[in-house]
Coordinates of all heavy atoms in Angstrom, one line a residue:
M1 N 0.9 -1.2 0.0 CA 0.0 0.0 0.0 C 0.9 1.2 0.0 O 1.9 1.3 0.7 CB -0.9 0.0 1.2 CG -1.9 1.1 1.2 SD -3.0 1.2 2.7 CE -3.7 -0.4 2.9
S2 N 0.6 2.2 -0.9 CA 1.4 3.4 -0.9 C 1.3 4.2 0.3 O 0.3 4.1 1.1 CB 1.0 4.2 -2.2 OG -0.2 4.9 -1.9
R3 N 2.3 5.1 0.5 CA 2.3 6.0 1.7 C 1.1 6.9 1.7 O 0.5 7.1 2.7 CB 3.6 6.8 1.6 CG 3.7 7.9 2.6 CD 4.3 7.4 3.9 NE 4.5 8.5 4.8 CZ 4.3 8.5 6.1 NH1 4.0 7.3 6.6 NH2 4.4 9.5 6.8
Y4 N 0.7 7.4 0.5 CA -0.4 8.2 0.3 C -1.7 7.6 0.8 O -2.5 8.1 1.6 CB -0.6 8.7 -1.1 CG -1.8 9.5 -1.4 CD1 -2.0 10.7 -0.9 CD2 -2.8 9.0 -2.2 CE1 -3.1 11.5 -1.1 CE2 -3.9 9.7 -2.5 CZ -4.1 10.9 -2.0 OH -5.2 11.6 -2.2
V5 N -1.9 6.3 0.4 CA -3.1 5.6 0.7 C -3.1 5.3 2.3 O -4.1 5.4 2.9 CB -3.2 4.3 -0.1 CG1 -4.4 3.4 0.4 CG2 -3.4 4.6 -1.5
Q6 N -1.9 5.0 2.8 CA -1.8 4.7 4.2 C -2.2 6.0 5.0 O -3.0 5.9 6.0 CB -0.4 4.3 4.6 CG -0.1 2.9 4.2 CD 1.4 2.5 4.4 OE1 2.2 3.4 4.6 NE2 1.6 1.3 4.4
D7 N -1.6 7.1 4.6 CA -1.9 8.4 5.3 C -3.4 8.7 5.2 O -4.0 9.2 6.1 CB -1.1 9.5 4.7 CG 0.4 9.5 5.0 OD1 0.7 8.7 6.0 OD2 1.2 10.2 4.4
L8 N -4.0 8.5 4.0 CA -5.4 8.8 3.7 C -6.3 7.9 4.6 O -7.2 8.4 5.3 CB -5.7 8.6 2.3 CG -7.0 9.1 1.8 CD1 -7.2 10.6 2.0 CD2 -7.1 8.8 0.3
S9 N -6.0 6.6 4.7 CA -6.7 5.7 5.5 C -6.6 6.1 7.0 O -7.6 6.1 7.7 CB -6.2 4.3 5.4 OG -6.4 3.9 4.1
K10 N -5.4 6.5 7.5 CA -5.2 6.9 8.8 C -6.0 8.2 9.1 O -6.7 8.3 10.2 CB -3.7 7.1 9.1 CG -3.4 7.5 10.5 CD -1.9 7.7 10.6 CE -1.5 8.2 12.0 NZ -0.1 8.5 12.1
A11 N -6.0 9.1 8.2 CA -6.7 10.4 8.4 C -8.2 10.1 8.5 O -8.9 10.7 9.3 CB -6.4 11.3 7.2
M12 N -8.7 9.2 7.7 CA -10.2 9.0 7.7 C -10.6 8.3 9.0 O -11.7 8.5 9.4 CB -10.6 8.2 6.4 CG -10.4 9.1 5.2 SD -10.8 8.2 3.7 CE -12.6 8.1 3.8
S13 N -9.7 7.4 9.5 CA -10.1 6.7 10.7 C -9.9 7.5 12.0 O -10.5 7.2 13.0 CB -9.3 5.4 10.8 OG -7.9 5.7 11.0
Q14 N -9.1 8.5 12.0 CA -8.8 9.3 13.2 C -9.8 10.5 13.3 O -10.8 10.4 13.9 CB -7.4 9.8 13.2 CG -6.4 8.7 13.5 CD -5.0 9.2 13.5 OE1 -4.7 10.3 13.1 NE2 -4.0 8.4 13.9
D15 N -9.3 11.6 12.8 CA -10.0 12.8 13.1 C -10.9 13.3 12.0 O -11.3 14.4 11.9 CB -9.0 13.9 13.4 CG -9.6 15.2 14.0 OD1 -10.6 15.1 14.8 OD2 -9.1 16.2 13.8
G16 N -11.3 12.4 11.1 CA -12.2 12.7 10.1 C -11.8 13.7 9.1 O -10.7 13.6 8.5
A17 N -12.7 14.7 8.8 CA -12.6 15.6 7.7 C -11.3 16.5 7.8 O -10.6 16.7 6.8 CB -13.8 16.5 7.7
S18 N -11.0 17.0 9.0 CA -9.8 17.9 9.1 C -8.5 17.1 8.7 O -7.6 17.7 8.0 CB -9.7 18.5 10.4 OG -9.5 17.5 11.4
Q19 N -8.4 15.9 9.2 CA -7.2 15.1 8.8 C -7.2 14.8 7.4 O -6.1 14.8 6.7 CB -7.2 13.8 9.7 CG -6.8 14.0 11.1 CD -5.3 14.3 11.3 OE1 -4.5 14.0 10.5 NE2 -5.0 15.0 12.4
F20 N -8.3 14.4 6.8 CA -8.4 14.2 5.4 C -8.0 15.4 4.6 O -7.3 15.3 3.6 CB -9.9 13.8 5.1 CG -10.1 13.5 3.6 CD1 -9.7 12.4 3.0 CD2 -10.8 14.5 2.9 CE1 -10.0 12.2 1.7 CE2 -11.1 14.3 1.5 CZ -10.6 13.1 0.9
Q21 N -8.5 16.5 5.0 CA -8.2 17.8 4.2 C -6.7 18.0 4.3 O -6.1 18.5 3.3 CB -9.0 19.0 4.8 CG -10.4 18.9 4.5 CD -11.2 20.0 5.1 OE1 -10.8 20.6 6.1 NE2 -12.4 20.2 4.7
E22 N -6.1 17.8 5.4 CA -4.6 18.0 5.6 C -3.8 17.1 4.7 O -2.9 17.5 4.0 CB -4.2 17.9 7.0 CG -2.7 18.1 7.3 CD -2.2 19.5 6.9 OE1 -3.0 20.4 6.8 OE2 -1.0 19.6 6.7
V23 N -4.2 15.8 4.6 CA -3.5 14.9 3.7 C -3.7 15.3 2.3 O -2.7 15.3 1.5 CB -4.1 13.5 3.9 CG1 -3.5 12.5 2.9 CG2 -3.7 13.0 5.3
I24 N -4.9 15.7 1.9 CA -5.1 16.2 0.5 C -4.3 17.4 0.2 O -3.7 17.5 -0.9 CB -6.6 16.4 0.3 CG1 -7.4 15.1 0.4 CG2 -6.9 17.1 -1.1 CD1 -7.0 14.0 -0.6
R25 N -4.3 18.4 1.2 CA -3.5 19.6 1.0 C -2.0 19.3 0.7 O -1.4 19.8 -0.2 CB -3.6 20.5 2.2 CG -3.0 21.9 2.0 CD -2.8 22.6 3.3 NE -2.0 21.9 4.3 CZ -0.7 21.8 4.2 NH1 0.0 22.4 3.2 NH2 0.0 21.2 5.2
Q26 N -1.5 18.4 1.6 CA -0.1 18.0 1.4 C 0.2 17.3 0.1 O 1.2 17.6 -0.6 CB 0.4 17.1 2.6 CG 0.4 17.8 3.9 CD 0.7 16.8 5.1 OE1 0.8 15.6 4.9 NE2 0.8 17.4 6.2
E27 N -0.7 16.5 -0.3 CA -0.6 15.8 -1.6 C -0.6 16.8 -2.8 O 0.1 16.7 -3.7 CB -1.7 14.7 -1.8 CG -1.5 13.9 -3.0 CD -0.3 13.0 -3.0 OE1 0.3 12.7 -1.9 OE2 0.2 12.7 -4.1
L28 N -1.5 17.7 -2.7 CA -1.6 18.8 -3.7 C -0.4 19.6 -3.8 O 0.1 19.9 -4.9 CB -2.8 19.7 -3.5 CG -4.2 19.1 -3.8 CD1 -5.3 20.1 -3.3 CD2 -4.3 19.0 -5.3
E29 N 0.2 20.0 -2.7 CA 1.4 20.8 -2.7 C 2.6 20.0 -3.3 O 3.3 20.5 -4.1 CB 1.8 21.2 -1.3 CG 0.8 22.4 -0.8 CD 1.5 23.2 0.3 OE1 2.5 23.9 0.0 OE2 0.9 23.2 1.4
L30 N 2.7 18.7 -2.9 CA 3.7 17.9 -3.5 C 3.6 17.7 -5.0 O 4.5 17.9 -5.7 CB 3.7 16.5 -2.8 CG 4.8 15.6 -3.3 CD1 6.2 16.1 -3.0 CD2 4.7 14.2 -2.6
S31 N 2.4 17.5 -5.4 CA 2.1 17.4 -6.8 C 2.4 18.6 -7.6 O 3.0 18.6 -8.7 CB 0.6 17.0 -7.0 OG 0.3 16.8 -8.4
V32 N 2.0 19.8 -7.1 CA 2.3 21.1 -7.8 C 3.8 21.3 -7.8 O 4.3 21.7 -8.8 CB 1.5 22.2 -7.1 CG1 2.1 23.6 -7.5 CG2 0.1 22.1 -7.4
K33 N 4.5 21.0 -6.7 CA 5.9 21.2 -6.7 C 6.6 20.3 -7.8 O 7.5 20.8 -8.5 CB 6.5 20.8 -5.3 CG 8.0 20.9 -5.2 CD 8.5 20.5 -3.9 CE 10.0 20.6 -3.8 NZ 10.6 19.9 -2.7
K34 N 6.2 19.1 -7.9 CA 6.8 18.2 -8.9 C 6.5 18.7 -10.3 O 7.4 18.7 -11.2 CB 6.2 16.8 -8.8 CG 6.8 16.1 -7.6 CD 6.2 14.7 -7.5 CE 6.7 13.9 -6.3 NZ 6.1 12.6 -6.2
E35 N 5.3 19.2 -10.6 CA 4.9 19.7 -11.9 C 5.7 21.0 -12.2 O 6.1 21.2 -13.4 CB 3.4 19.9 -12.0 CG 2.6 18.6 -12.0 CD 3.0 17.7 -13.1 OE1 3.1 18.1 -14.3 OE2 3.1 16.4 -12.8
L36 N 5.8 21.8 -11.3 CA 6.6 23.1 -11.5 C 8.0 22.8 -11.8 O 8.7 23.4 -12.6 CB 6.4 24.0 -10.3 CG 5.0 24.6 -10.1 CD1 5.0 25.5 -8.8 CD2 4.6 25.4 -11.3
E37 N 8.6 21.7 -11.1 CA 10.0 21.3 -11.4 C 10.1 20.8 -12.9 O 11.1 21.1 -13.5 CB 10.4 20.3 -10.4 CG 10.7 20.8 -9.0 CD 10.9 19.8 -8.0 OE1 10.8 18.6 -8.3 OE2 11.2 20.2 -6.8
K38 N 9.1 20.1 -13.3 CA 9.1 19.6 -14.7 C 9.1 20.8 -15.7 O 9.8 20.8 -16.7 CB 7.9 18.7 -15.0 CG 8.0 17.4 -14.4 CD 6.7 16.6 -14.7 CE 6.6 15.3 -14.0 NZ 5.3 14.6 -14.3
I39 N 8.2 21.8 -15.4 CA 8.1 23.0 -16.2 C 9.4 23.7 -16.3 O 9.9 24.2 -17.3 CB 7.0 23.9 -15.7 CG1 5.6 23.2 -16.0 CG2 7.0 25.3 -16.4 CD1 4.4 23.9 -15.3
L40 N 10.1 23.8 -15.1 CA 11.4 24.5 -15.0 C 12.4 23.9 -15.9 O 13.2 24.6 -16.5 CB 11.8 24.6 -13.6 CG 13.1 25.5 -13.3 CD1 12.8 26.9 -13.7 CD2 13.4 25.4 -11.8
T41 N 12.4 22.6 -16.1 CA 13.4 21.9 -16.9 C 13.2 22.3 -18.4 O 14.1 22.1 -19.2 CB 13.3 20.4 -16.8 OG1 12.0 19.9 -17.3 CG2 13.6 20.0 -15.4
T42 N 12.0 22.8 -18.8 CA 11.8 23.2 -20.2 C 12.2 24.7 -20.5 O 12.1 25.1 -21.6 CB 10.3 23.0 -20.6 OG1 9.5 24.0 -19.8 CG2 9.9 21.6 -20.3
A43 N 12.6 25.4 -19.4 CA 12.9 26.8 -19.6 C 14.2 27.0 -20.4 O 15.2 26.3 -20.1 CB 13.0 27.5 -18.3
P44 N 14.3 27.9 -21.3 CA 15.6 28.2 -22.0 C 16.6 28.7 -21.0 O 16.2 29.3 -20.0 CB 15.2 29.3 -23.0 CG 13.7 29.2 -23.1 CD 13.2 28.7 -21.8
S45 N 17.8 28.3 -21.2 CA 18.9 28.7 -20.2 C 18.9 30.2 -19.9 O 19.2 30.6 -18.8 CB 20.2 28.2 -20.7 OG 20.6 28.7 -22.0
H46 N 18.7 31.0 -20.9 CA 18.8 32.5 -20.7 C 17.6 33.0 -19.9 O 17.6 34.1 -19.4 CB 18.9 33.2 -22.0 CG 17.7 33.1 -22.9 ND1 17.5 32.0 -23.7 CD2 16.7 34.0 -23.2 CE1 16.4 32.2 -24.4 NE2 15.9 33.4 -24.1
E47 N 16.5 32.2 -19.7 CA 15.4 32.6 -19.0 C 15.2 31.8 -17.7 O 14.2 31.9 -17.0 CB 14.1 32.4 -19.8 CG 14.0 33.3 -21.0 CD 12.8 33.2 -21.8 OE1 11.9 32.4 -21.4 OE2 12.7 33.7 -22.9
F48 N 16.2 30.9 -17.4 CA 16.0 30.0 -16.3 C 15.8 30.7 -14.9 O 14.8 30.3 -14.2 CB 17.3 29.1 -16.2 CG 17.2 28.1 -15.1 CD1 16.5 26.9 -15.3 CD2 17.7 28.3 -13.8 CE1 16.4 25.9 -14.3 CE2 17.6 27.3 -12.8 CZ 16.9 26.1 -13.1
E49 N 16.6 31.6 -14.6 CA 16.4 32.3 -13.3 C 15.1 33.0 -13.2 O 14.4 33.0 -12.1 CB 17.6 33.2 -13.0 CG 18.9 32.5 -12.7 CD 18.8 31.6 -11.5 OE1 18.2 32.0 -10.5 OE2 19.4 30.5 -11.6
H50 N 14.7 33.7 -14.2 CA 13.5 34.4 -14.2 C 12.3 33.5 -14.1 O 11.4 33.7 -13.3 CB 13.3 35.3 -15.5 CG 12.1 36.1 -15.6 ND1 11.8 37.2 -14.8 CD2 10.9 35.9 -16.4 CE1 10.6 37.6 -15.1 NE2 10.1 36.9 -16.0
T51 N 12.3 32.4 -14.9 CA 11.3 31.4 -14.8 C 11.2 30.7 -13.4 O 10.1 30.5 -12.9 CB 11.5 30.3 -15.9 OG1 11.6 30.9 -17.2 CG2 10.4 29.3 -15.9
K52 N 12.4 30.4 -12.9 CA 12.4 29.8 -11.5 C 11.8 30.8 -10.5 O 11.0 30.3 -9.7 CB 13.9 29.5 -11.1 CG 14.0 28.9 -9.8 CD 15.5 28.5 -9.5 CE 15.5 27.8 -8.1 NZ 16.9 27.6 -7.7
K53 N 12.1 32.0 -10.6 CA 11.5 33.0 -9.7 C 10.0 33.1 -9.8 O 9.2 33.1 -8.8 CB 12.1 34.4 -9.9 CG 11.6 35.5 -9.0 CD 12.3 36.8 -9.2 CE 11.8 37.9 -8.3 NZ 12.4 39.2 -8.6
D54 N 9.5 33.1 -11.1 CA 8.1 33.1 -11.3 C 7.4 31.9 -10.8 O 6.3 32.0 -10.1 CB 7.8 33.2 -12.8 CG 8.0 34.6 -13.4 OD1 8.2 35.6 -12.6 OD2 8.0 34.7 -14.6
L55 N 7.9 30.7 -11.0 CA 7.3 29.5 -10.6 C 7.4 29.4 -9.1 O 6.4 28.8 -8.5 CB 8.0 28.3 -11.2 CG 7.8 28.2 -12.7 CD1 8.6 27.0 -13.3 CD2 6.4 28.1 -13.1
D56 N 8.4 29.9 -8.4 CA 8.5 29.9 -7.0 C 7.4 30.8 -6.4 O 6.7 30.4 -5.4 CB 9.9 30.3 -6.5 CG 10.0 30.1 -5.0 OD1 9.7 29.0 -4.5 OD2 10.5 31.0 -4.3
G57 N 7.2 31.9 -7.1 CA 6.1 32.8 -6.6 C 4.7 32.1 -6.8 O 3.9 32.3 -5.9
F58 N 4.5 31.4 -7.9 CA 3.3 30.7 -8.0 C 3.1 29.6 -6.9 O 2.0 29.5 -6.3 CB 3.2 30.0 -9.4 CG 2.0 29.2 -9.6 CD1 0.8 29.8 -9.9 CD2 2.0 27.8 -9.3 CE1 -0.4 29.1 -10.1 CE2 0.8 27.1 -9.5 CZ -0.4 27.7 -9.8
R59 N 4.2 28.9 -6.6 CA 4.1 27.9 -5.6 C 3.7 28.5 -4.2 O 2.9 27.9 -3.5 CB 5.5 27.1 -5.5 CG 5.4 25.9 -4.5 CD 6.8 25.4 -4.3 NE 7.8 26.4 -3.8 CZ 7.8 26.9 -2.6 NH1 7.0 26.5 -1.7 NH2 8.8 27.8 -2.3
K60 N 4.3 29.6 -3.9 CA 4.0 30.3 -2.6 C 2.6 30.8 -2.6 O 1.9 30.6 -1.6 CB 4.9 31.5 -2.4 CG 6.4 31.0 -2.1 CD 7.3 32.2 -1.9 CE 8.7 31.8 -1.7 NZ 9.6 32.9 -1.6
L61 N 2.1 31.3 -3.7 CA 0.7 31.7 -3.8 C -0.3 30.5 -3.7 O -1.3 30.6 -3.0 CB 0.5 32.4 -5.2 CG -0.9 33.1 -5.4 CD1 -1.2 34.1 -4.3 CD2 -1.0 33.6 -6.8
F62 N 0.1 29.4 -4.3 CA -0.7 28.2 -4.2 C -0.8 27.7 -2.8 O -1.8 27.3 -2.3 CB -0.2 27.2 -5.2 CG -1.1 25.9 -5.3 CD1 -2.3 26.0 -5.9 CD2 -0.7 24.7 -4.7 CE1 -3.1 24.9 -6.0 CE2 -1.5 23.6 -4.8 CZ -2.7 23.7 -5.5
H63 N 0.4 27.8 -2.1 CA 0.4 27.4 -0.7 C -0.5 28.2 0.1 O -1.3 27.7 1.0 CB 1.9 27.5 -0.2 CG 2.0 27.3 1.3 ND1 2.0 26.0 1.8 CD2 2.1 28.1 2.3 CE1 2.1 26.1 3.1 NE2 2.2 27.4 3.5
R64 N -0.5 29.6 -0.1 CA -1.4 30.5 0.7 C -2.8 30.1 0.4 O -3.7 30.2 1.3 CB -1.1 31.9 0.3 CG 0.1 32.5 1.0 CD 0.3 34.0 0.7 NE -0.8 34.7 0.6 CZ -1.0 35.8 -0.2 NH1 0.0 36.2 -1.0 NH2 -2.1 36.5 -0.3
F65 N -3.1 29.9 -0.9 CA -4.5 29.5 -1.3 C -5.0 28.3 -0.5 O -6.1 28.2 0.0 CB -4.6 29.3 -2.8 CG -5.9 28.7 -3.2 CD1 -7.0 29.4 -3.3 CD2 -5.9 27.3 -3.6 CE1 -8.2 28.9 -3.7 CE2 -7.1 26.8 -4.0 CZ -8.3 27.6 -4.1
L66 N -4.1 27.3 -0.4 CA -4.5 26.0 0.3 C -4.6 26.2 1.8 O -5.3 25.5 2.4 CB -3.4 24.9 0.0 CG -3.4 24.4 -1.4 CD1 -2.3 23.4 -1.6 CD2 -4.8 23.8 -1.8
Q67 N -4.0 27.2 2.3 CA -4.0 27.5 3.8 C -5.3 28.1 4.2 O -5.7 28.0 5.4 CB -2.9 28.3 4.3 CG -1.5 27.7 4.0 CD -1.3 26.4 4.7 OE1 -1.7 26.2 5.9 NE2 -0.9 25.4 4.0
E68 N -6.0 28.8 3.3 CA -7.2 29.5 3.6 C -8.3 28.5 3.9 O -8.5 27.5 3.3 CB -7.7 30.4 2.4 CG -6.8 31.6 2.1 CD -6.8 32.6 3.2 OE1 -7.9 32.9 3.8 OE2 -5.7 33.1 3.6
K69 N -9.1 28.9 4.9 CA -10.2 28.1 5.3 C -11.5 28.7 4.8 O -11.7 29.9 4.8 CB -10.3 27.9 6.9 CG -9.0 27.4 7.5 CD -8.8 25.9 7.1 CE -7.6 25.4 7.9 NZ -6.8 24.5 7.1
G70 N -12.4 27.9 4.4 CA -13.7 28.4 3.9 C -13.7 28.9 2.5 O -12.6 28.8 1.8
P71 N -14.8 29.4 2.0 CA -14.8 29.8 0.6 C -14.0 31.1 0.4 O -13.9 31.9 1.4 CB -16.3 30.1 0.4 CG -16.9 30.3 1.7 CD -16.1 29.5 2.7
S72 N -13.4 31.3 -0.7 CA -12.7 32.5 -1.0 C -13.6 33.7 -1.3 O -13.1 34.8 -1.1 CB -11.7 32.3 -2.1 OG -12.4 31.9 -3.3
V73 N -14.8 33.4 -1.7 CA -15.8 34.5 -2.0 C -17.0 34.1 -1.2 O -17.5 33.0 -1.3 CB -16.1 34.6 -3.5 CG1 -17.2 35.6 -3.7 CG2 -14.8 34.9 -4.2
D74 N -17.6 35.1 -0.5 CA -18.8 34.9 0.2 C -19.9 35.3 -0.8 O -20.3 36.5 -0.9 CB -18.9 35.7 1.5 CG -20.2 35.4 2.3 OD1 -21.1 34.7 1.7 OD2 -20.3 35.9 3.4
W75 N -20.4 34.4 -1.6 CA -21.4 34.7 -2.6 C -22.7 35.3 -2.1 O -23.3 36.0 -2.8 CB -21.7 33.4 -3.5 CG -20.5 33.0 -4.2 CD1 -19.6 32.0 -4.0 CD2 -19.9 33.6 -5.4 NE1 -18.6 31.9 -4.9 CE2 -18.7 32.9 -5.8 CE3 -20.3 34.7 -6.2 CZ2 -18.0 33.3 -6.9 CZ3 -19.5 35.1 -7.2 CH2 -18.4 34.4 -7.6
G76 N -23.0 35.1 -0.9 CA -24.2 35.6 -0.3 C -24.1 37.2 -0.1 O -25.1 37.8 0.0
K77 N -22.8 37.7 -0.1 CA -22.7 39.1 0.1 C -22.6 39.9 -1.3 O -22.6 41.1 -1.3 CB -21.4 39.4 0.8 CG -21.5 39.0 2.3 CD -20.2 39.3 3.0 CE -20.3 38.9 4.5 NZ -19.1 39.2 5.2
I78 N -22.5 39.1 -2.4 CA -22.5 39.8 -3.7 C -23.9 40.3 -4.1 O -24.9 39.6 -3.9 CB -22.0 38.7 -4.8 CG1 -20.7 38.1 -4.4 CG2 -22.0 39.4 -6.2 CD1 -19.6 39.1 -4.3
Q79 N -23.9 41.6 -4.5 CA -25.1 42.2 -4.8 C -25.1 42.8 -6.2 O -24.0 43.1 -6.7 CB -25.4 43.4 -3.8 CG -25.6 42.9 -2.4 CD -25.8 44.1 -1.5 OE1 -25.8 45.2 -1.9 NE2 -26.0 43.8 -0.2
R80 N -26.2 42.8 -6.9 CA -26.3 43.4 -8.2 C -26.1 44.9 -8.1 O -26.5 45.5 -7.0 CB -27.7 43.1 -8.8 CG -27.9 41.6 -9.0 CD -29.3 41.4 -9.7 NE -29.4 42.0 -11.0 CZ -29.0 41.4 -12.1 NH1 -28.4 40.3 -12.1 NH2 -29.2 42.0 -13.3
P81 N -25.6 45.6 -9.1 CA -25.4 47.0 -9.0 C -26.8 47.7 -9.1 O -27.8 47.1 -9.6 CB -24.6 47.4 -10.3 CG -24.6 46.2 -11.1 CD -25.0 45.0 -10.3
P82 N -27.0 48.9 -8.5 CA -28.3 49.5 -8.5 C -28.8 49.8 -9.9 O -28.0 50.0 -10.9 CB -28.0 50.8 -7.8 CG -26.6 50.9 -7.4 CD -26.0 49.6 -7.9
E83 N -30.1 49.7 -10.1 CA -30.7 49.9 -11.5 C -30.4 51.3 -12.0 O -30.3 51.5 -13.2 CB -32.2 49.7 -11.4 CG -32.5 48.2 -11.2 CD -32.1 47.3 -12.3 OE1 -32.2 47.7 -13.5 OE2 -31.8 46.1 -12.0
D84 N -30.3 52.3 -11.1 CA -30.1 53.7 -11.6 C -28.6 54.1 -11.7 O -28.3 55.3 -11.8 CB -30.9 54.6 -10.6 CG -30.3 54.6 -9.2 OD1 -29.6 53.6 -8.9 OD2 -30.6 55.5 -8.4
L85 N -27.8 53.1 -11.7 CA -26.3 53.4 -11.8 C -26.0 54.1 -13.2 O -26.6 53.6 -14.2 CB -25.5 52.1 -11.7 CG -24.0 52.3 -11.7 CD1 -23.6 53.0 -10.4 CD2 -23.4 50.9 -11.7
D86 N -25.2 55.1 -13.2 CA -24.8 55.8 -14.4 C -24.3 54.8 -15.5 O -23.3 54.1 -15.2 CB -23.8 56.8 -14.1 CG -23.4 57.7 -15.2 OD1 -23.9 57.5 -16.4 OD2 -22.6 58.7 -15.0
P87 N -24.9 54.7 -16.6 CA -24.4 53.8 -17.7 C -23.0 54.0 -18.1 O -22.3 53.0 -18.5 CB -25.4 54.0 -18.9 CG -26.5 54.8 -18.3 CD -26.1 55.4 -17.1
E88 N -22.5 55.2 -18.0 CA -21.1 55.5 -18.4 C -20.1 54.8 -17.4 O -19.1 54.3 -17.8 CB -20.9 57.0 -18.4 CG -19.5 57.3 -18.9 CD -19.3 58.8 -19.0 OE1 -20.2 59.6 -19.3 OE2 -18.1 59.3 -18.7
I89 N -20.5 54.7 -16.2 CA -19.6 54.1 -15.2 C -19.6 52.6 -15.5 O -18.5 52.0 -15.5 CB -20.2 54.3 -13.7 CG1 -20.0 55.7 -13.3 CG2 -19.5 53.3 -12.8 CD1 -20.7 56.1 -12.0
M90 N -20.7 52.0 -15.9 CA -20.7 50.5 -16.2 C -19.9 50.3 -17.5 O -19.2 49.3 -17.5 CB -22.2 50.1 -16.4 CG -23.0 50.0 -15.1 SD -22.2 48.9 -13.9 CE -22.5 47.3 -14.7
T91 N -20.0 51.2 -18.4 CA -19.3 51.0 -19.7 C -17.8 51.1 -19.4 O -17.0 50.2 -19.9 CB -19.6 52.1 -20.7 OG1 -21.0 52.0 -20.9 CG2 -18.9 51.9 -22.0
R92 N -17.3 52.0 -18.6 CA -15.9 52.1 -18.2 C -15.5 50.9 -17.4 O -14.4 50.4 -17.7 CB -15.7 53.4 -17.4 CG -15.6 54.6 -18.3 CD -15.2 55.8 -17.5 NE -16.3 56.3 -16.8 CZ -16.3 57.2 -15.8 NH1 -15.2 57.7 -15.4 NH2 -17.4 57.5 -15.2
A93 N -16.3 50.5 -16.5 CA -15.9 49.3 -15.7 C -15.8 48.1 -16.6 O -14.8 47.3 -16.4 CB -17.0 49.0 -14.6
K94 N -16.7 47.9 -17.5 CA -16.6 46.7 -18.4 C -15.4 46.8 -19.3 O -14.7 45.8 -19.5 CB -17.9 46.6 -19.3 CG -19.1 46.2 -18.6 CD -20.3 46.1 -19.5 CE -21.5 45.8 -18.8 NZ -22.7 45.8 -19.7
G95 N -15.1 48.0 -19.8 CA -13.9 48.1 -20.6 C -12.6 47.9 -19.9 O -11.7 47.3 -20.3
R96 N -12.6 48.3 -18.6 CA -11.4 48.1 -17.8 C -11.2 46.6 -17.5 O -10.1 46.1 -17.6 CB -11.5 48.9 -16.5 CG -10.3 48.9 -15.6 CD -10.3 49.8 -14.4 NE -11.6 49.9 -13.8 CZ -12.4 51.0 -13.7 NH1 -12.0 52.0 -14.4 NH2 -13.5 51.0 -13.1
C97 N -12.3 45.9 -17.2 CA -12.2 44.5 -17.0 C -11.7 43.7 -18.2 O -10.9 42.8 -18.1 CB -13.5 43.9 -16.5 SG -14.1 44.5 -14.9
L98 N -12.1 44.1 -19.4 CA -11.7 43.5 -20.6 C -10.3 43.7 -21.0 O -9.7 42.9 -21.6 CB -12.7 43.8 -21.8 CG -14.1 43.4 -21.6 CD1 -15.0 44.0 -22.7 CD2 -14.2 41.9 -21.6
T99 N -9.8 44.9 -20.6 CA -8.4 45.2 -21.1 C -7.4 45.0 -20.1 O -6.2 44.9 -20.4 CB -8.4 46.7 -21.5 OG1 -8.7 47.5 -20.3 CG2 -9.3 47.0 -22.7
D100 N -7.7 44.8 -18.8 CA -6.7 44.5 -17.8 C -6.2 43.1 -17.8 O -6.8 42.2 -18.2 CB -7.3 44.8 -16.4 CG -7.4 46.3 -16.2 OD1 -6.9 47.1 -17.0 OD2 -8.1 46.7 -15.2

């Protein structure tokens, strides 16, 4: 039995969901690390350091994402814009979203 399956079985039998989530989080981090290392091997030599820095930044951001508890967006707090909102503001906002 693989180490992953053993850890998963242990997590499910002990503390339930929180242990399960931790095992999954660790597996995801390891998987992303391996994939980023593969990507780094494809970088041209003149871009290696820049690519390494970018991928390390992504790995850190992914780590932070996995550490967050709960939903990243509270969809219950999202509201539609008011009906009487100036149409020019909406046009500018749409244009900014499309060009950024």
